[in-house]
Amino acid sequence: MSLHFIEFELNGRTVEGMTDARRTLLDYLRTDEGCTGPHGGCEHGVCGACTVLLDGQAVRSCLMLAVQANGKRVETVESLASENGELHPIQQMFREEFALQCGFCTPGFLMTLAALDRTEPRPDAEEMRAALSGHLCRCTGYQGILRVVDRLAEERR
Amino acid sequence: MNEHTTITGARFIGERVHRKEDGRLLTGRGTYIDDVVVAGMLHAAFVRSNVARGRITRLDTSRAKDMPGVAAVYTAADLDRLNCSFSNAVFDMPGCPAPDDGLLARSDVRFVGQPIVIVVAESRAVAEDAAAVVEVEYTTEQAVVGIAAAKTGAPVHDGFANNLVNAQDSGPNDEIDKVFAGAAHVVEETVRNCRQAHMPMETRGLVVSPDGTGDLTIHRACQSPQVSALQVAQIFKLEQGQVRVIAKDVGGAFGLKMTSQRDEMAVVAAAILLRRPVKWIEDRLENLVAAGQSREDQMHVRLAFDADHRLLAADVDYDCDFGAFPYAIQSSASLVTPMFPGPYHLPHYRWKAQAWYTNTNGLAPYRGPWMLEMLAREIMFDVAARKMGVDPLELRRKNIIGKGEQPFQMPSGIVLTDVSPRETMEMTVGAIDIAAFRREQAEARKEGRYLGLGIANGIEPTTVSFGYFASDVAHVRVEANGRVTAMTTTFSQGHGTATSLAQIIAERLGVSFEDVTVVEGDSSRTGFGPGAGGSRQAVAGGGAAMIASDKLRDKIQRIAAYAYNASPESIRIEGGVITVEGSPEIRSSVAAIAQLAYAAPDRLPPDMELGLETHHRYQPPPMVFANATHACICEVDVDTGKVSILRWIAGSDCGEMINPGIVEGQIAGGVVQGIGGVLFEHAPYDEAGQPMAVTLKDYLLPTALNVPRIEYKHMCTPSSTPGGFKGVGEGGAMISPPTLVNAIADALAPFGKTWVEMPLSPDRIICGIVD
Amino acid sequence: MKAAPFDYVEAGSADEAVFLLGEAGSDAAILAGGQTLMPLLSLRMTNPSVLVDINPANDMAGVSRGEHGIRIGARTRQCDAMRDPMVRNCVPALAQAIAHVGHYQTRARGTVGGSIALGEPAAEQPATAVAMGATIELRSGRGTRLVPAREFYVGPYMTTRADDEVLVAVHFPEWHEDTQVVVREVARRPGDFALVGLIMLLDIRQSKIERAGIGWFGMGPTPMAAPLVETALVGRFLSELDPRGLAQTASSQLEPSDDLHATSLYRRTVAQRMFERSLQTLAGKIAA
């Protein structure tokens, strides 16, 4: 099995390391970089709990190899709040709308919404809701998350 | 409650206070079980049976043992060195013989996924590499799959005469047959639910660290560290004090993580044998195949009505599939038949209930394990209504009980108090202009569109408090700096108990919400408590916290009264600031009183114990009843069989709410799980006992695009417990399936079919109409 | 669920991919979007010894016009293909079909070529290729060949691609700009595999059907063409069509199987209605 040196940007800083070919990006981030925000809910690319941004796009990190992150820009949920701990506006909305209970799926949802939030032209509510199809939540019944999308869409206008 | 407890400070109970947990969870800094890293820890993987029923004829682990990076490969024979035997004190049913008590399969296997070998290696990947080269051969036998097969098939367990786990009935009843014979209307159907998986977003897992003296520190994704520790101590014959279970954040449980299945205990055994820390994180495949499942049950129902549509009699026969190794012997069957009559007058009732072993994944309690009682009854009410030509709501109006009729004794002997079924039903349906809907429905039918309205009522027995669930304890103390620490036996897997209890404590003590820290999740910090399960934490944990806080508040008042030469009743506490009514010049603080309590013994009243801490162990009443009525409007596309939910109203009487945001969240989560169980979720087995939905491509959960925007209506009939709280965790999951099924059946009424078998997938709907 | 060990190599170009695949033999797999291959690896359902990653092969991505139609490089991301102006204008059926594929997060990595090469019977893109009469470009050390999509799929996940061939591009012929496009799918939830899916192109001029292309998905072991129905449609006026009769013909040509999510009866019933309604809607739209 091949071993690879990788270097990439993670949450604004350059990181480097060695990885077996078969390591997923999710496992590498969690174990080698201490980024335990992305979670492994299924390891087969359905639940969305592992979602990170790769060069600004929301992707499933369990479906990428760590070696494929070489030279790329990776952002996890740990990058959303400010340095002094102030929540990102979307995080604050989640709190206000009771959009999380156990919190396991939450980092994934936050990254998809963060990607949508930065997209130009800005997606409307329907497009944002459509993107939620790639995430599963078992606790909240999605009610608070849908209210957050309502508010994000409202902000646009 | 004592006479000095007058709340003079801010009110937190009843407020949508933002949760304390969110700060860390939103920023990815929660500590779930896979985030736990212990120095030197190894990783476990299992070899699991891929046949449902058979004898192991050959088991060769030599290649696995030789693989580089592998620390150990253990079979049942290796674990026998430990003198451990599987048990589950919380759920074992007295009088029911327990099947094989091994942690790993010995000579035979009884369900696909049963653990046979545990491999421990330097990484999970290497452990799986090694597991892949363990050689197992079986002779296979015809698997016993499904309730019908269980009744007549060969025993699943060696030494058992048949597959009956247990059977109960209501006893001889000659009169009921006469009632049925003479009744104006009789309906009869078998309502079948479908097997479902709990599917918490986080799978099971634990990290077991032996410390060399025989003590174990275990991090476990659980519903109660104390229950987890109790089970480990019993299985491995350790002193309770030798086992410490810790958990911080758990990604949902819904009953699956209450007690352990055998595989988790095999991880403990491996750690003990290896004398090294061992981590096992269940993967999703294992979770869907072997973790434990629920809802494969059915009820044959006969209902008799008189000419006036009043319910005369019910005769039911309930069967539940318990799988091969159930770990919820008590929870499912025991409440189905007692609760079946629900919030209705029922003069005559006869029931039978049986539980069966099969060669499948074992039964694990899943959010409202006895919910078939609501599903069967409410579906059958609508079936009866259609047959009798009466509106389903009118039928319910004729038979439902209301507040004025309590205490109300159900046929099973259970006495209902503090519920408002009639009133809640009227509140819920009052939110819909039913006449307008019926007009819209009629117009739509002319265009080939099928809209439906469904209603369901249910009584929820919350705050289960029998056996090990009988009590919870809260230790509350004001620290020397005036801030408050509470250690409780509640535990959250998303419940937000730290927030809810902090609201109670802050309000009762008179301090600010921010100054209260609730500590859960460590079996060494408190005495025994059952944690989450049975919709009990708000009442049991809340009650313990409330009474403990009141005791503490009383002490603060008495210390302050002594210090300021005032009466205790005149001491006012708000936001941690203490004032004396009638003496505006006096201004003190809880912190200052704490200073006295810890450091100035001479300033305390004579004979008063130092310190500012207390605890209370609270035993709730045997049951605390809540009730709910949900209503749903849906559209069924009869070209594709797909169901769209257009509107959902969740009406409930859950007593006083501590935090409406949390309460509504619990209701919503349950409602959507219920929607899943009707439309999407099904974990079937084929005839050979092979599970057919083993990944999330096949086990389908509702997504955000499949759910309605739930409208909540609240009624409040306080319970008789401190605070007047009631449980709410399971109610949504129980009542939502019949609500949706009734809406679908109402939509499809023109087709004249009966919809009593789950799931109501597009296939079942189209084939049901076409056939 | 951790994959078994494998070696990983990067292909910086199509030729390099061909070379590496040729070297590795039948034991290699191409890693494109990974949305299908990675789960198979994690579940240990496939066990290649070498993964050839074509993500760095920029010459395998992009949309251009060529002699066989609109050429879409295999590594073109689904999200990019869906938004590409040339695809939207010249191959609108594909753009519409991709909108049904997976989810926002999977389309960011999933590729057109990956889906075409996989040949999932219930997938949108292979059916679109079949409906439109697309051509699949395969390259190996032995050269390049073009295979019609209608000859490419031979069984569930089975294509005529040889082990040493890299699918480098898919050519979608441009249909007349007035072509009516029907993309219909019934799935349990958005993004799921189709229970029943239909891609239909009807080139209609002065109400007469000049050309018809049909591809079903979820209705058989491969994406299913419907040559009999196409023949029955061509040369007919919309007004003289018998949608119900044609739907029955269409449905009778199909032998979908039972699976966990739907029975054959369901599929045939729904397919027939889907076809009939599509024709009725089209006829109504053109008449208006």
Side-chain angles (χ1 to χ4, degrees):
Chain A
M1 174 167 55
S2 52
L3 193 61
H4 301 266
F5 173 77
I6 56 176
E7 185 178 340
F8 60 99
E9 188 187 307
L10 174 61
N11 297 334
R13 59 193 164 90
T14 305
V15 297
E16 59 179 51
M18 299 295 296
T19 180
D20 284 345
R22 63 169 164 174
R23 296 285 293 298
T24 61
L25 177 59
L26 173 67
D27 285 347
Y28 186 88
L29 290 172
R30 288 179 50 76
T31 311
D32 290 43
E33 289 299 334
C35 260
T36 56
H39 296 136
C42 75
E43 293 184 294
H44 56 282
V46 178
C47 78
C50 69
T51 304
V52 301
L53 301 192
L54 184 83
D55 291 345
Q57 284 190 305
V59 300
R60 301 181 179 322
S61 64
C62 75
L63 297 188
M64 286 197 60
L65 297 173
V67 65
Q68 291 182 294
N70 189 45
K72 304 274 193 285
R73 181 167 52 94
V74 177
E75 295 163 87
T76 70
V77 68
E78 284 93 335
S79 70
L80 291 183
S82 71
E83 284 289 323
N84 65 4
E86 197 180 316
L87 294 179
H88 184 284
I90 300 179
Q91 289 171 317
Q92 181 60 25
M93 283 186 207
F94 264 61
R95 189 152 191 250
E96 290 164 8
E97 298 300 336
F98 289 83
L100 67 155
Q101 289 180 28
C102 82
F104 198 79
C105 72
T106 307
F109 274 100
L110 286 170
M111 297 320 286
T112 282
L113 289 174
L116 290 165
D117 192 49
R118 298 179 198 173
T119 302
E120 299 285 345
R122 311 189 80 176
D124 61 19
E126 196 181 325
E127 209 180 322
M128 280 197 278
R129 276 193 293 270
L132 298 183
S133 72
H135 288 279
L136 298 177
C137 171
R138 198 53 161 166
C139 293
T140 68
Y142 307 101
Q143 302 296 297
I145 298 168
L146 289 167
R147 288 193 293 268
V148 169
V149 170
D150 291 342
R151 288 175 60 175
L152 282 173
E154 190 63 37
E155 269 189 359
R156 307 255 128 132
R157 297 198 262 113
Chain B
M1 265 199 286
N2 65 79
E3 67 274 19
H4 300 147
T5 310
T6 314
I7 301 305
T8 54
R11 300 282 168 169
F12 298 107
I13 297 173
E15 299 298 314
R16 285 174 197 266
V17 178
H18 294 159
R19 302 189 332 162
K20 287 180 181 283
E21 296 88 334
D22 291 353
R24 67 179 185 272
L25 299 179
L26 284 165
T27 54
R29 296 205 152 79
T31 306
Y32 301 89
I33 187 58
D34 193 35
D35 302 332
V36 172
V37 175
V38 173
M41 76 184 181
L42 298 167
H43 299 260
F46 287 94
V47 176
R48 295 178 180 273
S49 173
N50 58 17
V51 306
R53 185 192 181 101
R55 310 250 146 223
I56 299 173
T57 55
R58 189 171 81 88
L59 178 59
D60 187 342
T61 60
S62 53
R63 283 175 67 203
K65 283 180 175 161
D66 290 340
M67 191 172 277
V70 171
V73 180
Y74 294 130
T75 64
D78 296 305
L79 266 45
D80 281 341
R81 281 152 44 194
L82 283 178
N83 185 28
C84 57
S85 61
F86 186 81
S87 66
N88 189 342
V90 175
F91 279 122
D92 283 346
M93 193 176 228
C96 283
D100 188 320
D101 60 6
L103 303 183
L104 296 173
R106 293 183 198 285
S107 55
D108 68 308
V109 291
R110 302 177 194 178
F111 74 100
V112 170
Q114 182 171 356
I116 304 172
V117 175
I118 184 169
V119 178
V120 185
E122 66 190 18
S123 71
R124 172 67 181 227
V126 170
E128 289 189 21
D129 294 342
V133 298
V134 169
E135 293 164 28
V136 192
E137 284 171 23
Y138 316 84
T139 54
T140 58
E141 296 154 28
Q142 174 58 47
V144 173
V145 180
I147 288 165
K151 291 183 179 182
T152 57
V156 166
H157 295 296
D158 278 349
F160 284 41
N162 54 38
N163 288 313
L164 189 63
V165 180
N166 76 332
Q168 297 172 283
D169 62 66
S170 54
N173 187 334
D174 298 323
E175 211 183 323
I176 200 173
D177 291 319
K178 295 184 198 135
V179 174
F180 272 98
H185 306 279
V186 174
V187 285
E188 180 172 1
E189 295 287 346
T190 301
V191 176
R192 277 195 188 85
N193 209 344
C194 62
R195 181 180 287 247
Q196 290 154 54
H198 308 60
M199 258 304 301
M201 293 313 298
E202 179 202 40
T203 56
R204 297 178 300 148
L206 70 173
V207 181
V208 184
S209 301
D211 79 343
T213 70
D215 289 5
L216 294 173
T217 301
I218 300 175
H219 296 257
R220 176 174 184 251
C222 64
Q223 293 178 221
S224 161
Q226 291 83 359
V227 166
S228 305
L230 174 69
Q231 191 180 20
V232 170
Q234 289 179 334
I235 290 173
F236 292 95
K237 303 182 176 53
L238 299 169
E239 294 301 324
Q240 195 71 54
Q242 287 180 277
V243 182
R244 180 181 181 198
V245 176
I246 302 169
K248 178 82 176 182
D249 296 304
V250 178
F254 315 112
L256 186 66
K257 299 173 181 173
M258 204 175 254
T259 51
S260 293
Q261 276 279 32
R262 288 158 166 73
D263 44 16
E264 286 185 80
M265 294 296 99
V267 178
V268 177
I272 293 172
L273 286 172
L274 266 173
R275 295 193 288 249
R276 290 278 302 274
V278 178
K279 174 187 245 189
W280 176 65
I281 304 296
E282 179 185 47
D283 66 34
R284 188 57 69 183
L285 184 65
E286 295 177 284
N287 180 256
L288 288 174
V289 170
Q293 289 165 339
S294 187
R295 306 259 195 273
E296 185 159 347
D297 53 5
Q298 63 191 47
M299 185 184 270
H300 185 81
V301 181
R302 280 198 314 151
L303 299 180
F305 293 84
D306 68 15
D308 238 355
H309 315 125
R310 291 195 203 279
L311 184 60
L312 291 174
D315 189 8
V316 307
D317 189 350
Y318 170 74
D319 289 299
C320 185
D321 186 332
F322 268 35
F325 295 101
Y327 73 106
I329 302 252
Q330 288 220 45
S331 74
S332 269
S334 56
L335 276 175
V336 173
T337 46
M339 291 308 301
F340 175 82
Y344 302 103
H345 294 277
L346 177 60
H348 300 275
Y349 181 44
R350 180 169 62 193
W351 58 268
K352 295 170 60 200
Q354 295 77 225
W356 303 94
Y357 289 116
T358 60
N359 288 115
T360 62
N361 199 352
L363 180 69
Y366 172 37
R367 205 167 193 177
W370 63 91
M371 58 74 72
L372 190 83
E373 63 93 355
M374 267 190 222
L375 186 71
R377 178 192 63 249
E378 295 297 315
I379 285 178
M380 289 306 288
F381 260 58
D382 273 32
V383 168
R386 272 188 289 277
K387 181 171 180 181
M388 297 188 290
V390 65
D391 179 78
L393 176 60
E394 286 312 309
L395 181 62
R396 287 171 170 81
R397 281 181 168 139
K398 285 191 182 171
N399 291 283
I400 200 167
I401 68 163
K403 288 178 79 154
E405 294 163 278
Q406 293 164 48
F408 177 81
Q409 179 157 332
M410 295 172 72
S412 46
I414 292 174
V415 178
L416 298 178
T417 55
D418 303 320
V419 291
S420 59
R422 178 183 297 281
E423 295 77 8
T424 300
M425 180 175 73
E426 297 300 345
M427 171 185 72
T428 302
V429 301
I432 304 169
D433 183 341
I434 294 185
F437 170 76
R438 292 293 177 203
R439 287 192 297 273
E440 191 189 345
Q441 182 184 47
E443 285 303 307
R445 281 183 188 162
K446 293 179 195 161
E447 296 166 16
R449 288 176 47 235
Y450 295 86
L451 302 175
L453 169 67
I455 297 165
N457 297 311
I459 299 285
E460 308 156 27
T462 76
T463 318
V464 64
S465 62
F466 64 86
Y468 280 101
F469 291 86
S471 67
D472 270 280
V473 68
H475 302 250
V476 183
R477 67 171 176 261
V478 178
E479 310 283 7
N481 66 3
R483 299 172 72 89
V484 181
T485 306
M487 296 187 297
T488 65
T489 47
T490 54
F491 188 57
S492 171
Q493 307 93 60
H495 305 68
T497 38
T499 298
S500 298
L501 263 56
Q503 287 173 250
I504 293 172
I505 294 165
E507 179 171 312
R508 301 307 286 189
L509 282 179
V511 301
S512 69
F513 175 73
E514 288 69 32
D515 282 347
V516 178
T517 302
V518 174
V519 173
E520 306 173 322
D522 186 331
S523 69
S524 68
R525 290 200 199 185
T526 64
F528 183 81
S535 301
R536 58 188 305 293
Q537 298 198 93
V539 177
M546 183 170 275
I547 296 174
S549 300
D550 284 352
K551 287 195 223 178
L552 205 51
R553 183 199 177 87
D554 181 64
K555 186 167 185 180
I556 294 171
Q557 286 175 307
R558 287 191 286 119
I559 295 174
Y562 186 78
Y564 299 115
N565 206 22
S567 69
E569 311 81 69
S570 67
I571 303 297
R572 314 184 75 73
I573 316 176
E574 168 145 20
V577 173
I578 291 178
T579 53
V580 181
E581 199 173 323
S583 303
E585 72 283 4
I586 299 176
R587 194 176 170 85
S588 179
S589 67
V590 170
I593 299 304
Q595 285 291 305
L596 298 184
Y598 288 106
D602 308 331
R603 303 279 306 277
L604 300 182
D607 300 327
M608 177 181 275
E609 188 179 273
L610 271 65
L612 215 49
E613 62 207 330
T614 185
H615 79 264
H616 186 79
R617 179 169 286 277
Y618 172 60
Q619 179 187 1
M623 271 176 194
V624 174
F625 293 101
N627 66 275
T629 300
H630 285 214
C632 155
I633 294 175
C634 77
E635 178 166 354
V636 182
D637 181 337
V638 297
D639 279 344
T640 63
K642 292 188 69 175
V643 176
S644 306
I645 301 172
L646 304 176
R647 196 170 170 204
W648 195 288
I649 300 157
S652 62
D653 185 340
C654 46
E656 296 285 353
M657 291 186 278
I658 302 168
N659 186 322
I662 288 179
V663 168
E664 289 168 3
Q666 288 294 305
I667 294 171
V671 165
V672 172
Q673 282 176 314
I675 290 171
V678 173
L679 298 182
F680 298 109
E681 298 180 44
H682 189 191
Y685 281 78
D686 69 14
E687 281 175 8
Q690 292 293 327
M692 295 170 69
V694 303
T695 70
L696 294 180
K697 293 277 189 198
D698 287 323
Y699 191 79
L700 308 179
L701 262 64
T703 69
L705 303 181
N706 301 115
V707 303
R709 301 292 192 114
I710 300 169
E711 301 161 49
Y712 304 95
K713 299 261 171 229
H714 293 294
M715 179 147 303
C716 178
T717 308
S719 70
S720 60
T721 66
F725 310 133
K726 295 179 180 179
V728 78
E730 293 166 289
M734 293 196 284
I735 202 167
S736 90
T739 304
L740 180 55
V741 173
N742 282 345
I744 293 170
D746 184 57
L748 297 176
F751 295 93
K753 311 284 180 176
T754 311
W755 305 96
V756 290
E757 192 161 342
M758 304 301 115
L760 294 184
S761 59
D763 182 84
R764 197 186 294 279
I765 288 176
I766 292 296
C767 294
I769 293 175
V770 160
D771 263 343
Chain C
M1 275 158 51
K2 311 298 179 191
F6 52 78
D7 287 335
Y8 167 93
V9 292
E10 280 185 11
S13 68
D15 283 339
E16 200 178 343
V18 168
F19 171 74
L20 289 166
L21 196 64
E23 284 267 294
S26 61
D27 225 12
I30 297 276
L31 175 62
Q35 305 302 289
T36 300
L37 181 62
M38 289 293 291
L40 291 175
L41 290 171
S42 296
L43 286 161
R44 298 195 179 215
M45 287 172 69
T46 184
N47 206 343
S49 55
V50 181
L51 243 59
V52 177
D53 185 356
I54 61 166
N55 286 283
N58 290 329
D59 69 347
M60 285 181 72
V63 180
S64 59
R65 180 179 271 115
E67 63 175 296
H68 303 285
I70 302 299
R71 182 185 188 277
I72 301 183
R75 208 227 72 202
T76 307
R77 304 275 176 220
Q78 288 161 11
C79 60
D80 293 333
M82 202 169 85
R83 291 192 290 253
D84 185 274
M86 196 179 287
V87 173
R88 296 177 74 80
N89 291 327
C90 308
V91 197
L94 183 66
Q96 288 180 43
I98 293 178
H100 288 271
V101 174
H103 308 274
Y104 171 72
Q105 299 82 359
T106 64
R107 294 190 294 266
R109 292 293 297 172
T111 63
V112 174
S115 177
I116 297 287
L118 177 66
E120 153 67 57
E124 296 82 353
Q125 291 165 94
T128 306
V130 163
M132 295 189 68
T135 315
I136 289 150
E137 183 183 332
L138 302 167
R139 197 183 301 178
S140 70
R142 295 169 281 114
T144 297
R145 63 185 183 115
L146 293 169
V147 178
R150 294 194 175 201
E151 293 168 24
F152 187 58
Y153 300 104
V154 295
Y157 311 99
M158 293 195 307
T159 69
T160 57
R161 181 183 69 84
D163 285 339
D164 67 338
E165 286 181 309
V166 176
L167 192 156
V168 293
V170 188
H171 303 256
F172 289 87
E174 290 183 72
W175 285 51
H176 190 270
E177 61 181 351
D178 289 338
T179 299
Q180 299 296 317
V181 170
V182 171
V183 173
R184 295 267 181 281
E185 175 174 332
V186 176
R188 297 292 290 272
R189 306 166 305 174
D192 285 343
F193 289 130
L195 301 179
V196 180
L198 171 66
I199 310 283
M200 180 159 66
L201 289 84
L202 294 178
D203 178 352
I204 304 173
R205 302 187 218 175
Q206 275 99 53
S207 297
K208 187 155 156 235
I209 299 172
E210 300 292 334
R211 189 178 173 197
I214 295 170
W216 293 98
F217 49 112
M219 295 300 294
T222 67
M224 306 297 289
L228 269 177
V229 181
E230 288 168 352
T231 304
L233 284 166
V234 169
R236 307 284 296 282
F237 284 92
L238 263 181
S239 51
E240 66 183 2
L241 286 182
D242 168 21
R244 175 150 302 182
L246 283 163
Q248 279 165 351
T249 305
S251 165
S252 69
Q253 297 297 302
L254 298 161
E255 283 177 7
S257 51
D258 293 344
D259 69 16
L260 182 64
H261 295 293
T263 56
S264 169
L265 173 62
Y266 174 87
R267 292 190 151 102
R268 268 194 269 106
T269 304
V270 174
Q272 191 170 315
R273 287 176 193 172
M274 185 185 278
F275 193 86
E276 183 182 340
R277 294 223 189 286
S278 299
L279 278 184
Q280 284 167 341
T281 307
L282 261 182
K285 181 176 153 201
I286 302 274

